[in-house]
Amino acid sequence: MKRLITLAMVMAIAAAAPAQAQDYPNRPIRLVTLGTPGTASDVLVRTVGKRLSEKLGQPVVVDNKPGADGVIAAADVAKAPPDGYTLLFASNSPIAAAPALRKSLPYDPMVDLTPITMVGYFTFFLYLNADVPAKTLAELVAYAKANPGKLSYGSGNTTGSVGVAQIAALTDTQMVHVPYKGEPQAIVDLLGGRIDMMIGTPTTGLSHVRSGKLRALVTTLKQRSTILPDVPTIYEAGLPQFTITSWGGMFGPAKMPKEIVARLNKVLIEVIQEPEVAKTLEAQGFALATSTPEELGSYLKGQIEAWKASARAAGIEPE
């Protein structure tokens, strides 16, 4: 009798899963992001979230959880119920970089999260305070060599911290790292001359480059950005060994129903490819790129290894 009851329960649960997927969503979705308001990732999430809400017919509530290089946001989603009502837009910081920079994490990116789709790649520039006497990367390196330890750089994310650390390691120069909670705070100090440089996104730095308050020396992309086409890539400027790639993807908690993952993948790709959404995101220097869940999972595995290698090359030890 007990065996029959157990079998009936299993069959009922199995039958309920497709029904739940068919009804999805029937209540608000929480979309967690690691970005602070005003950052590139925040603009992206709010743009995508608005259209996702309209297409799914339910509110999509953006929940900013900055700090700890995105670990707080990723940990929050990793422990959420895997029902599709808690999603994570994550950059490489908590997903690929954190395993290289931290001895322990409250989650395993490969085990505790469900990949849904790649969203694309962030544009980053190396910004310099206009008072620093360097107009090219070569001049910056020469100045740093002549003044060891004098230059300081801020960072509001792992791309900013590991990126400049790798530049220093590749050029055998000494620079002082000043970490910030996010890019907006770092840009304020860069403009005020309290730090000398930082790697940041167009969202926070572009207007100040155009006003002449900051100088953009290079972009970290493989090709020049259409936003500032006269700025060379870091590879053109003499550092072909630079390896940092900045990307963003959509994830959920582990063990999400396949039907819900498939639906979200389909709808998100439709949203990202809409002309108005694409126009808004590309204005932030975001190069769109979508994927299947399996492709994102495979890419993530490779990125974790790549960031570990980049951190070691930059002389960064896990903390």
Side-chain angles (χ1 to χ4, degrees), residues 79-96:
K79 66 184 181 183
D83 53 13
Y85 290 96
T86 303
L87 304 177
L88 170 71
F89 173 77
S91 69
N92 42 265
S93 287
I95 307 297

mmCIF file of all heavy atoms in Angstrom, residues 79-96:
data_model
loop_
_atom_site.group_PDB
_atom_site.id
_atom_site.type_symbol
_atom_site.label_atom_id
_atom_site.label_comp_id
_atom_site.label_asym_id
_atom_site.label_seq_id
_atom_site.Cartn_x
_atom_site.Cartn_y
_atom_site.Cartn_z
ATOM 1 N N LYS A 79 20.515 30.272 -4.062
ATOM 2 C CA LYS A 79 19.742 29.625 -2.990
ATOM 3 C C LYS A 79 18.231 29.812 -3.165
ATOM 4 O O LYS A 79 17.447 29.361 -2.329
ATOM 5 C CB LYS A 79 20.181 30.157 -1.623
ATOM 6 C CG LYS A 79 19.853 31.634 -1.391
ATOM 7 C CD LYS A 79 20.404 32.097 -0.047
ATOM 8 C CE LYS A 79 20.055 33.581 0.199
ATOM 9 N NZ LYS A 79 20.633 34.076 1.471
ATOM 10 N N ALA A 80 17.814 30.471 -4.247
ATOM 11 C CA ALA A 80 16.385 30.711 -4.483
ATOM 12 C C ALA A 80 15.710 29.453 -5.028
ATOM 13 O O ALA A 80 16.369 28.576 -5.590
ATOM 14 C CB ALA A 80 16.214 31.860 -5.470
ATOM 15 N N PRO A 81 14.392 29.336 -4.879
ATOM 16 C CA PRO A 81 13.671 28.193 -5.460
ATOM 17 C C PRO A 81 13.856 28.169 -6.977
ATOM 18 O O PRO A 81 13.790 29.215 -7.625
ATOM 19 C CB PRO A 81 12.210 28.469 -5.089
ATOM 20 C CG PRO A 81 12.279 29.385 -3.913
ATOM 21 C CD PRO A 81 13.499 30.231 -4.121
ATOM 22 N N PRO A 82 14.067 27.003 -7.568
ATOM 23 C CA PRO A 82 14.328 26.909 -9.009
ATOM 24 C C PRO A 82 13.047 26.890 -9.837
ATOM 25 O O PRO A 82 12.832 25.986 -10.662
ATOM 26 C CB PRO A 82 15.093 25.597 -9.120
ATOM 27 C CG PRO A 82 14.519 24.746 -8.042
ATOM 28 C CD PRO A 82 14.231 25.685 -6.892
ATOM 29 N N ASP A 83 12.197 27.872 -9.638
ATOM 30 C CA ASP A 83 10.885 27.867 -10.280
ATOM 31 C C ASP A 83 10.750 28.904 -11.395
ATOM 32 O O ASP A 83 9.665 29.084 -11.964
ATOM 33 C CB ASP A 83 9.786 28.103 -9.234
ATOM 34 C CG ASP A 83 10.034 29.355 -8.379
ATOM 35 O OD1 ASP A 83 10.905 30.172 -8.757
ATOM 36 O OD2 ASP A 83 9.371 29.507 -7.335
ATOM 37 N N GLY A 84 11.858 29.600 -11.703
ATOM 38 C CA GLY A 84 11.815 30.586 -12.775
ATOM 39 C C GLY A 84 11.387 31.967 -12.344
ATOM 40 O O GLY A 84 11.312 32.877 -13.178
ATOM 41 N N TYR A 85 11.130 32.158 -11.040
ATOM 42 C CA TYR A 85 10.677 33.461 -10.566
ATOM 43 C C TYR A 85 11.803 34.283 -9.935
ATOM 44 O O TYR A 85 11.571 35.389 -9.461
ATOM 45 C CB TYR A 85 9.515 33.293 -9.587
ATOM 46 C CG TYR A 85 8.268 32.811 -10.300
ATOM 47 C CD1 TYR A 85 7.943 31.461 -10.328
ATOM 48 C CD2 TYR A 85 7.454 33.702 -10.988
ATOM 49 C CE1 TYR A 85 6.821 31.005 -11.005
ATOM 50 C CE2 TYR A 85 6.331 33.264 -11.669
ATOM 51 C CZ TYR A 85 6.019 31.910 -11.680
ATOM 52 O OH TYR A 85 4.911 31.462 -12.371
ATOM 53 N N THR A 86 13.005 33.727 -9.941
ATOM 54 C CA THR A 86 14.191 34.480 -9.538
ATOM 55 C C THR A 86 15.259 34.246 -10.593
ATOM 56 O O THR A 86 15.682 33.106 -10.817
ATOM 57 C CB THR A 86 14.730 34.030 -8.165
ATOM 58 O OG1 THR A 86 13.703 34.166 -7.184
ATOM 59 C CG2 THR A 86 15.924 34.880 -7.754
ATOM 60 N N LEU A 87 15.679 35.329 -11.258
ATOM 61 C CA LEU A 87 16.679 35.236 -12.321
ATOM 62 C C LEU A 87 17.858 36.142 -11.980
ATOM 63 O O LEU A 87 17.742 37.050 -11.159
ATOM 64 C CB LEU A 87 16.078 35.660 -13.660
ATOM 65 C CG LEU A 87 14.830 34.910 -14.128
ATOM 66 C CD1 LEU A 87 14.323 35.503 -15.443
ATOM 67 C CD2 LEU A 87 15.127 33.417 -14.279
ATOM 68 N N LEU A 88 18.974 35.887 -12.619
ATOM 69 C CA LEU A 88 20.196 36.654 -12.372
ATOM 70 C C LEU A 88 20.792 37.109 -13.692
ATOM 71 O O LEU A 88 21.043 36.285 -14.577
ATOM 72 C CB LEU A 88 21.223 35.782 -11.634
ATOM 73 C CG LEU A 88 22.648 36.348 -11.499
ATOM 74 C CD1 LEU A 88 22.668 37.519 -10.516
ATOM 75 C CD2 LEU A 88 23.617 35.254 -11.035
ATOM 76 N N PHE A 89 20.986 38.436 -13.828
ATOM 77 C CA PHE A 89 21.853 38.903 -14.902
ATOM 78 C C PHE A 89 23.218 39.096 -14.281
ATOM 79 O O PHE A 89 23.384 39.908 -13.371
ATOM 80 C CB PHE A 89 21.388 40.214 -15.532
ATOM 81 C CG PHE A 89 22.410 40.722 -16.520
ATOM 82 C CD1 PHE A 89 22.516 40.156 -17.775
ATOM 83 C CD2 PHE A 89 23.308 41.717 -16.162
ATOM 84 C CE1 PHE A 89 23.491 40.572 -18.670
ATOM 85 C CE2 PHE A 89 24.291 42.146 -17.051
ATOM 86 C CZ PHE A 89 24.377 41.571 -18.308
ATOM 87 N N ALA A 90 24.202 38.359 -14.770
ATOM 88 C CA ALA A 90 25.536 38.416 -14.179
ATOM 89 C C ALA A 90 26.585 38.711 -15.232
ATOM 90 O O ALA A 90 26.510 38.202 -16.352
ATOM 91 C CB ALA A 90 25.868 37.097 -13.491
ATOM 92 N N SER A 91 27.525 39.534 -14.876
ATOM 93 C CA SER A 91 28.715 39.711 -15.697
ATOM 94 C C SER A 91 29.687 38.587 -15.348
ATOM 95 O O SER A 91 29.380 37.707 -14.547
ATOM 96 C CB SER A 91 29.359 41.067 -15.409
ATOM 97 O OG SER A 91 29.914 41.063 -14.098
ATOM 98 N N ASN A 92 30.857 38.643 -15.919
ATOM 99 C CA ASN A 92 31.874 37.636 -15.615
ATOM 100 C C ASN A 92 32.344 37.705 -14.162
ATOM 101 O O ASN A 92 32.911 36.736 -13.651
ATOM 102 C CB ASN A 92 33.079 37.816 -16.524
ATOM 103 C CG ASN A 92 33.472 39.265 -16.704
ATOM 104 O OD1 ASN A 92 33.057 39.885 -17.668
ATOM 105 N ND2 ASN A 92 34.238 39.832 -15.777
ATOM 106 N N SER A 93 32.086 38.828 -13.468
ATOM 107 C CA SER A 93 32.645 39.005 -12.115
ATOM 108 C C SER A 93 32.295 37.877 -11.149
ATOM 109 O O SER A 93 33.199 37.216 -10.620
ATOM 110 C CB SER A 93 32.216 40.348 -11.536
ATOM 111 O OG SER A 93 32.895 41.409 -12.161
ATOM 112 N N PRO A 94 30.997 37.600 -10.859
ATOM 113 C CA PRO A 94 30.703 36.563 -9.870
ATOM 114 C C PRO A 94 30.721 35.150 -10.447
ATOM 115 O O PRO A 94 30.781 34.180 -9.704
ATOM 116 C CB PRO A 94 29.296 36.921 -9.407
ATOM 117 C CG PRO A 94 28.666 37.525 -10.615
ATOM 118 C CD PRO A 94 29.763 38.293 -11.301
ATOM 119 N N ILE A 95 30.692 35.041 -11.784
ATOM 120 C CA ILE A 95 30.536 33.733 -12.406
ATOM 121 C C ILE A 95 31.866 33.129 -12.824
ATOM 122 O O ILE A 95 32.120 31.938 -12.619
ATOM 123 C CB ILE A 95 29.611 33.841 -13.649
ATOM 124 C CG1 ILE A 95 28.293 34.519 -13.266
ATOM 125 C CG2 ILE A 95 29.355 32.472 -14.238
ATOM 126 C CD1 ILE A 95 27.480 33.751 -12.257
ATOM 127 N N ALA A 96 32.754 33.935 -13.408
ATOM 128 C CA ALA A 96 34.030 33.417 -13.902
ATOM 129 C C ALA A 96 35.231 33.963 -13.140
ATOM 130 O O ALA A 96 36.207 33.247 -12.910
ATOM 131 C CB ALA A 96 34.176 33.739 -15.391
#
